[in-house]
Amino acid sequence: SPLVTPVSCAMLSGFSHDVSHQEIARILGEVEAWYATAHEQAGVELLPIDGIKNFINMDLGYEDIDEFEDAIQGSFEDFLNSFPHIEVKEVDGKQFIKITELTPGPPRKMVLEVTSSKQLLDTTLLKATDAELEIPHLEFGIGADQKRHVDSIYNHLVVAYEELDRHSSMLGENSEEQAKIKETVESLKALLDVEKPFQLVIKDPSGLSDFKPRDGVKEEKIE
């Protein structure tokens, strides 16, 4: 039988530099569409990763795979393997990709105890279109906006405080609402240092959200 070895899960920390939330979503959507078509045509689950590399070059506007890897500050294989539903395997010296189709499950709540900044960087969160993210001790939440978001937890929090910061700058100077928002922004920034552990909660009505890795994630069903 062929030798199969899983490729290690990668960090997504480089995304904060050159690849936006929206760009990650676009790339992931294109990769999923390519895999669905190729899987249907080939009839096998493991597809050679070289095929998707060529597709990336042609369809996503990158000059070549090196330019793409410069943008994500890592290898394409590690980028793909960071997503909860994508697996990269090496078989007899060649690399293949397998994408598990995400299917709805029972409504659930997932709770992750965050204990370090490294964990924020190393853990990918796929937040489904209908999912809500909460940080209970700050009484802070990110609601469902009918878009799927996938990124490191670190970057989910960065995007949240940047959007709040933009919103506060549009309010009248010295307004009470602006002061409260700025206080929340500073609290979210401070969270990134993880000076003490905190809980991050995902309310997941469709069961389509996930973490990777899932170490320390507690799950319970919700009505």
Side-chain angles (χ1 to χ4, degrees):
S1 64
L3 176 67
V4 179
T5 54
V7 179
S8 63
C9 182
M11 283 177 30
L12 296 184
S13 52
F15 286 3
S16 60
H17 302 289
D18 297 311
V19 184
S20 68
H21 243 33
Q22 291 80 5
E23 180 71 349
I24 294 167
R26 183 175 79 96
I27 294 165
L28 182 58
E30 294 284 358
V31 168
E32 289 170 329
W34 171 86
Y35 181 87
T37 302
H39 172 52
E40 189 176 333
Q41 291 172 348
V44 293
E45 288 191 334
L46 284 176
L47 295 171
I49 209 162
D50 286 345
I52 186 64
K53 281 186 175 180
N54 295 334
F55 172 80
I56 286 284
N57 294 349
M58 291 189 305
D59 275 39
L60 290 178
Y62 291 93
E63 188 175 317
D64 53 31
I65 202 68
D66 289 340
E67 184 187 25
F68 178 76
E69 290 183 337
D70 283 346
I72 61 171
Q73 299 189 1
S75 76
F76 183 56
E77 289 80 5
D78 282 350
F79 171 80
L80 291 177
N81 205 48
S82 298
F83 299 111
H85 60 311
I86 299 181
E87 189 177 0
V88 176
K89 287 184 176 181
E90 190 173 293
V91 182
D92 294 338
K94 293 184 178 179
Q95 292 193 312
F96 293 79
I97 179 178
K98 175 185 175 183
I99 299 182
T100 303
E101 186 178 353
L102 296 170
T103 55
R108 61 182 177 174
K109 180 170 79 172
M110 293 183 286
V111 180
L112 178 65
E113 183 88 5
V114 178
T115 58
S116 69
S117 291
K118 185 177 186 299
Q119 185 183 8
L120 291 178
L121 290 165
D122 287 359
T123 305
T124 306
L125 167 62
L126 189 156
K127 180 177 172 287
T129 57
D130 59 350
E132 299 175 17
L133 181 156
E134 293 181 355
I135 300 170
H137 80 280
L138 292 183
E139 297 183 351
F140 172 78
I142 302 172
D145 63 359
Q146 305 314 308
K147 293 178 183 177
R148 182 177 63 174
H149 297 282
V150 56
D151 211 330
S152 64
I153 297 174
Y154 189 97
N155 283 342
H156 277 283
L157 297 179
V158 168
V159 169
Y161 79 62
E162 286 180 344
E163 289 181 352
L164 278 175
D165 214 19
R166 278 195 294 272
H167 177 64
S168 75
S169 67
M170 296 163 63
L171 300 172
E173 283 296 323
N174 302 318
S175 71
E176 185 179 344
E177 186 183 359
Q178 187 184 57
K180 285 181 178 178
I181 291 175
K182 285 188 177 295
E183 187 179 328
T184 302
V185 167
E186 292 309 311
S187 296
L188 286 171
K189 285 182 178 180
L191 272 190
L192 300 178
D193 295 327
V194 194
E195 291 180 352
K196 58 182 180 180
F198 67 91
Q199 285 192 337
L200 183 143
V201 177
I202 299 295
K203 290 182 177 177
D204 188 28
S206 61
L208 288 171
S209 300
D210 211 350
F211 291 94
K212 186 174 184 179
R214 297 190 104 254
D215 301 348
V217 176
K218 295 177 182 176
E219 192 175 311
E220 59 186 75
K221 291 182 180 179
I222 55 176
E223 297 300 325

